[in-house]
Amino acid sequence: MKILTQDDLPIRQDTAVAIGLFDGVHEGHRTLIEDIENQEGLFSLVYTFDGKPNHAAYKNIYTLQEKEEIFADMQVDGFYLQAFDRQFSQMTKQEFIKRLVHDFHAKHITVGFDFRFGKNAEGTTDYLREQSGKYGYTLHVMPRIEYHGEKVSSSYIRELILAGNMEETAKLLRRFYFVDGTIEKGNHLGSKIGFPTANISTDKLLPQYGVYATIAQVDGNLYSAVTNVGTKPTVKSDDTPNIETFILDFSGDVYNEEMRVYFVRQIRREKAFANVDELKRQIASDARSASGMLENLEVYKDYIIC
């Protein structure tokens, strides 16, 4: 996949352009991508925008780098990130269409049913359709997609993640939700009680605090694992959340290695135990549960980015 910048414009080949924020690259977004990839003879291009800033009250589902990786895995030809600066925010709806046609050579455009564009969000899908003959492009508007009566949206998926519902999340993302990080040195308590863990930190959205059956990806290899997300109330006194993964049937030094943790299913909610021995027994039970769920990793390959 080619990452395009302003320096690459105007594009010299005809394109099919999918436009959106793509904060989750979920089932609805995939429909947009499939549409542009089905346009024979056209360069498939994702045109997206700076996401909402990541902060305490709003955590992104994916980072920009992760979105680029996902689109590449989906075999999109090109990716363009539009800076949502003041100049762009003042662009009229007609100027935006002219930009798509001139700078991106758009011959086919696909958007969601509620897509708005241009200054003060004055542009609508109806306006895009009205202008298609004048500017020589075809238009596909993806209808509203629902799941269990809810609109499939990044907001809905965020709710599922926060509720620890990783199976429903995976259905709508068509991949397991994942978190990346560099493995850090912890306090070695896990090693002392027989369960050495790999700890990573992230500023991304975290699932509900609890214990999960996970798949750990280290150095290109996949391992069954069990992961605790939370504050470790039995052994830690502050409220700083962490992600602590016990990789099953694995030994070796992985400190400073990059690790990706795919969340498959919640085993239980986080809880405080009376003592470390009780915690140790529960971890052993959690590990057995995760091992049973993840006995054959091959069945999960379609939900993993390799």
Side-chain angles (χ1 to χ4, degrees):
M1 183 180 75
K2 184 174 182 180
I3 306 297
L4 300 168
T5 68
Q6 186 67 31
D7 294 337
D8 298 305
L9 306 180
I11 296 174
R12 299 299 180 185
Q13 61 193 119
D14 294 342
T15 65
V17 185
I19 310 172
L21 184 58
F22 298 106
D23 179 26
V25 198
H26 53 63
E27 181 71 21
H29 296 148
R30 280 181 172 269
T31 302
L32 296 180
I33 303 307
E34 289 165 358
D35 179 68
I36 61 173
E37 290 181 330
N38 287 333
Q39 304 305 312
E40 189 173 349
L42 299 183
F43 181 87
S44 59
L45 174 67
V46 169
Y47 183 109
T48 190
F49 310 93
D50 287 344
K52 296 180 181 179
N54 205 50
H55 54 78
Y58 182 97
K59 296 290 187 180
N60 290 321
I61 297 175
Y62 292 123
T63 66
L64 173 61
Q65 182 178 346
E66 289 167 350
K67 282 199 273 191
E68 290 178 0
E69 184 180 355
I70 290 168
F71 286 125
D73 186 65
M74 296 169 69
Q75 300 184 333
V76 170
D77 294 325
F79 178 92
Y80 183 83
L81 177 69
Q82 173 67 59
F84 206 98
D85 53 21
R86 178 169 176 76
Q87 180 180 355
F88 181 74
S89 70
Q90 297 303 304
M91 186 179 291
T92 67
K93 58 186 181 181
Q94 188 173 46
E95 288 171 337
F96 180 69
I97 292 177
K98 286 181 178 179
R99 174 168 169 75
L100 292 176
V101 173
H102 178 265
D103 288 350
F104 294 92
H105 226 256
K107 294 298 182 182
H108 180 78
I109 297 172
T110 181
V111 295
F113 73 97
D114 54 356
F115 178 66
R116 303 297 293 262
F117 62 97
K119 184 178 179 180
N120 299 321
E122 291 178 350
T124 64
T125 56
D126 287 339
Y127 183 75
L128 268 178
R129 186 173 286 107
E130 291 168 6
Q131 299 298 308
S132 62
K134 176 180 178 180
Y135 288 102
Y137 59 81
T138 55
L139 176 69
H140 171 72
V141 177
M142 182 193 72
R144 176 186 174 105
I145 296 177
E146 293 190 355
Y147 184 74
H148 295 331
E150 294 282 348
K151 172 189 170 185
V152 175
S153 66
S154 299
S155 296
Y156 179 51
I157 289 170
R158 190 171 282 104
E159 291 175 6
L160 291 174
I161 294 170
L162 290 172
N165 193 337
M166 309 318 297
E167 292 167 291
E168 296 294 281
T169 298
K171 289 178 183 178
L172 295 182
L173 294 180
R174 292 202 218 169
R175 76 190 71 84
F176 294 125
Y177 182 64
F178 62 84
V179 170
D180 293 334
T182 303
I183 298 173
E184 308 162 345
K185 285 189 179 293
N187 58 13
H188 300 291
L189 175 63
S191 297
K192 293 175 183 176
I193 63 175
F195 299 98
T197 56
N199 305 300
I200 60 174
S201 301
T202 184
D203 198 34
K204 277 180 54 176
L205 182 69
L206 288 179
Q208 181 184 67
Y209 289 177
V211 176
Y212 294 83
T214 57
I215 297 173
Q217 188 174 24
V218 183
D219 195 25
N221 297 310
L222 300 176
Y223 304 94
S224 301
V226 58
T227 297
N228 182 82
V229 177
T231 60
K232 299 191 291 187
T234 305
V235 297
K236 207 172 77 165
S237 58
D238 64 72
D239 293 329
T240 305
N242 70 340
I243 303 165
E244 193 173 24
T245 298
F246 172 55
I247 304 174
L248 307 180
D249 302 318
F250 176 85
S251 63
D253 186 355
V254 290
Y255 291 123
N256 294 320
E257 294 276 359
E258 295 300 312
M259 180 171 70
R260 173 168 289 174
V261 178
Y262 293 95
F263 292 88
V264 178
R265 187 184 305 174
Q266 187 182 70
I267 296 173
R268 62 175 175 84
R269 296 280 295 273
E270 183 178 57
K271 61 176 290 187
F273 294 92
N275 51 58
V276 172
D277 286 338
E278 187 177 325
L279 171 62
K280 180 179 177 179
R281 288 191 294 271
Q282 184 61 59
I283 294 175
S285 175
D286 295 338
R288 287 192 297 271
S289 296
S291 179
M293 295 175 191
L294 305 170
E295 186 174 2
N296 180 11
L297 294 186
E298 285 295 321
V299 301
Y300 296 116
K301 283 291 183 71
D302 289 343
Y303 285 79
I304 290 172
I305 302 172
C306 294

